[in-house]
């Protein structure tokens, strides 16, 4: 679903979840799978060309959640467990869950699973898990950034008197820095020619490949432009075998060598990253940059290429939060 945020009208505690995107259908149904009237609460069902086939290796859950679509013969629809209602503007407002699932800071949590875990303890006879809201002394009027719409309750919002959040202020302050990183395709073509001219071994550059769409796209573009990259990927101890196969298959299809980096200190890196940044991604980025630069030096390769999107690049290379913690390489 999609909704265009309007700072003038979307002033309630929850932003509407909007309308279905192209080629998808959203049904608001009662317990008999009949459509509910405008303004009435119903359960949200999803159908359309982008609907999943089911849950992997969980046939019982698939049968429960992916039900026959009475409005499209032979089709399926997904029972979300979300409650909603159509408002007067023809868009959907989210009203919560039919079951005990809750969302806290973006994470979906099954309260029943927590209760079951507590009840396994030999000294616990029974338990009830509930979500407690903020104390009244901590409640404050929710404001929204006039540029991006971020709520003032977000820990990084820090909305000033003019209604602008800290993230937007930082972005504006760093525009000049960003311009130095985001250049034209002509600049890339010129750089590629310099890379070719300076080649001294079998490979022209080290390409950091995660297996995702961004880095895979970049890899194919480099090969199409006549480069022979040395593919580098990180095995952090938690990457799946399927993800490894994806990386190896992409490189193999292009006739490229793959080097898998690893470090025995990965768990320590995770712990440090969680303490300093509240995530493990920053730690992984540092390990990737360090190992790939070392690999480039060993092979006599002068260039390291990442496959980060603009947003990722801004966060890891330009934002002051990361600026002093990222290895610079050329």
């Amino acid at each position: 679903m999609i909704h265009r945020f309007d700072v003038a009208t979307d002033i309630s505690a929850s932003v509407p979840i909007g309308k279905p995107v192209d080629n998808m259908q959203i049904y608001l149904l009662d317990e008999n799978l009949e459509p509910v009237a405008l303004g009435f609460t119903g359960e949200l069902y999803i159908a359309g060309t982008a609907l999943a086939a089911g849950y992997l290796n969980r046939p019982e859950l698939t049968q429960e959640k992916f039900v026959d679509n009475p409005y499209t013969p032979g089709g399926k629809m997904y029972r979300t467990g979300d409650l909603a209602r159509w408002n007067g503007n023809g868009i959907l407002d989210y009203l919560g869950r039919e079951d005990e699932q809750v969302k806290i800071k973006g994470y979906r949590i099954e309260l029943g699973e927590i209760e079951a875990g507590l009840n396994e303890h030999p000294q616990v006879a029974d338990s009830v898990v509930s979500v407690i809201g903020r104390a009244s002394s901590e409640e404050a009027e929710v404001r929204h950034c006039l540029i991006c719409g971020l709520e003032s309750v977000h820990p990084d919002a820090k909305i000033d008197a003019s209604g602008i959040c800290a993230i937007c202020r930082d972005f504006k302050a760093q525009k000049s820095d960003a311009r130095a990183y985001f250049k034209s395709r002509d600049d890339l073509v010129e750089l590629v020619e310099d890379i070719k001219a300076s080649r001294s071994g079998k490979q022209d550059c080290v390409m950091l490949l995660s297996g995702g769409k961004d880095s895979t796209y970049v890899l194919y573009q480099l090969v199409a432009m006549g480069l022979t990259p040395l593919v580098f990927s990180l095995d952090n101890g938690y990457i799946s075998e399927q993800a490894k196969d994806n990386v190896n298959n992409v490189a193999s299809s292009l006739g490229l060598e793959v080097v898998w980096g690893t470090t025995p200190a990965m768990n320590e890196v995770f712990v440090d990253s969680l303490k300093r940044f509240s995530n493990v991604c920053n730690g992984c980025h540092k390990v990737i940059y360090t190992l790939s630069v070392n690999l480039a030096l060993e092979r006599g390769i002068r260039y390291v290429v990442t496959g980060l999107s603009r947003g990722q690049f801004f966060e890891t290379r330009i934002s002051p939060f990361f600026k002093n913690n990222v290895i610079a390489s050329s």
Side-chain angles (χ1 to χ4, degrees):
M1 304 192 67
I2 190 169
H3 175 71
R4 183 183 294 276
F5 178 78
D6 188 330
V7 69
T9 59
D10 294 332
I11 57 176
S12 61
S14 178
V15 175
I17 53 179
K19 302 177 180 179
V21 298
D22 292 344
N23 302 316
M24 297 299 293
Q25 295 85 49
I26 298 296
Y27 303 107
L28 207 56
L29 309 177
D30 61 19
E31 62 273 11
N32 298 315
L33 300 186
E34 295 289 339
V36 299
L38 181 69
F40 284 77
T41 300
E43 184 176 357
L44 204 65
Y45 289 76
I46 302 174
T49 56
L51 188 68
Y55 289 93
L56 182 64
N57 299 326
R58 303 187 68 181
E60 294 181 358
L61 186 59
T62 296
Q63 185 176 5
E64 176 189 349
K65 295 292 187 179
F66 289 82
V67 299
D68 292 335
N69 187 342
Y71 307 102
T72 304
K76 292 285 186 180
M77 58 183 183
Y78 176 67
R79 181 178 183 179
T80 66
D82 292 328
L83 300 178
R85 68 181 169 210
W86 295 107
N87 64 28
N89 297 321
I91 58 178
L92 276 173
D93 291 325
Y94 177 73
L95 301 178
R97 293 284 302 175
E98 183 184 49
D99 53 24
E100 293 186 318
Q101 185 187 91
V102 296
K103 185 178 286 188
I104 301 176
K105 294 184 177 180
Y107 293 94
R108 294 183 179 182
I109 299 173
E110 296 285 354
L111 299 184
E113 292 183 0
I114 299 177
E115 292 175 356
L118 292 173
N119 293 340
E120 290 179 357
H121 193 282
Q123 294 181 318
V124 176
D126 201 358
S127 64
V128 174
V129 177
S130 182
V131 178
I132 306 299
R134 293 185 181 87
S136 58
S137 61
E138 297 177 356
E139 291 180 352
E141 180 185 358
V142 176
R143 301 167 60 207
H144 295 85
C145 174
L146 297 178
I147 295 177
C148 69
L150 186 67
E151 289 187 344
S152 56
V153 294
H154 190 283
D156 294 328
K158 300 180 179 64
I159 297 178
D160 61 19
S162 62
I164 309 302
C165 73
I167 296 174
C168 288
R169 293 197 301 271
D170 289 344
F171 183 83
K172 182 178 180 180
Q174 296 170 61
K175 272 188 175 179
S176 59
D177 291 335
R179 292 194 189 99
Y181 287 88
F182 303 131
K183 299 183 179 180
S184 68
R185 184 175 179 84
D186 290 339
D187 294 319
L188 176 61
V189 171
E190 182 178 346
L191 177 60
V192 167
E193 293 305 315
D194 290 340
I195 294 175
K196 291 179 182 177
S198 65
R199 177 178 179 179
S200 59
K202 294 190 299 182
Q203 288 101 1
D204 304 287
C205 59
V206 173
M207 172 65 209
L208 310 185
L209 181 64
S210 68
K213 62 182 184 301
D214 291 326
S215 60
T216 302
Y217 173 79
V218 172
L219 177 62
Y220 274 91
Q221 288 292 313
L222 293 178
V223 173
M225 297 175 79
L227 294 180
T228 303
L230 172 62
V231 177
F232 176 82
S233 195
L234 175 67
D235 183 355
N236 62 12
Y238 295 92
I239 186 172
S240 68
E241 291 302 319
Q242 182 179 4
K244 291 181 182 179
D245 290 342
N246 289 341
V247 170
N248 290 330
N249 290 338
V250 167
S252 176
S253 68
L254 297 171
L256 302 176
E257 179 186 353
V258 180
V259 173
W260 284 94
T262 186
T263 171
M266 202 68 234
N267 285 336
E268 287 82 355
V269 171
F270 285 150
V271 171
D272 177 71
S273 187
L274 285 170
K275 288 180 178 178
R276 297 173 63 186
F277 307 109
S278 299
N279 65 55
V280 297
C281 296
N282 294 11
C284 276
H285 285 148
K286 288 184 180 182
V287 172
I288 291 170
Y289 297 146
T290 301
L291 295 182
S292 63
V293 170
N294 288 341
L295 176 63
L297 292 172
E298 292 171 4
R299 298 287 188 98
I301 299 174
R302 297 180 56 196
Y303 297 89
V304 177
V305 182
T306 72
L308 299 177
S309 66
R310 284 180 177 238
Q312 292 170 321
F313 203 78
F314 183 85
E315 289 180 350
T316 60
R317 286 289 186 176
I318 304 172
S319 174
F321 188 66
F322 298 96
K323 185 173 288 184
N324 297 324
N325 299 290
V326 176
I327 296 172
S329 61
S330 63

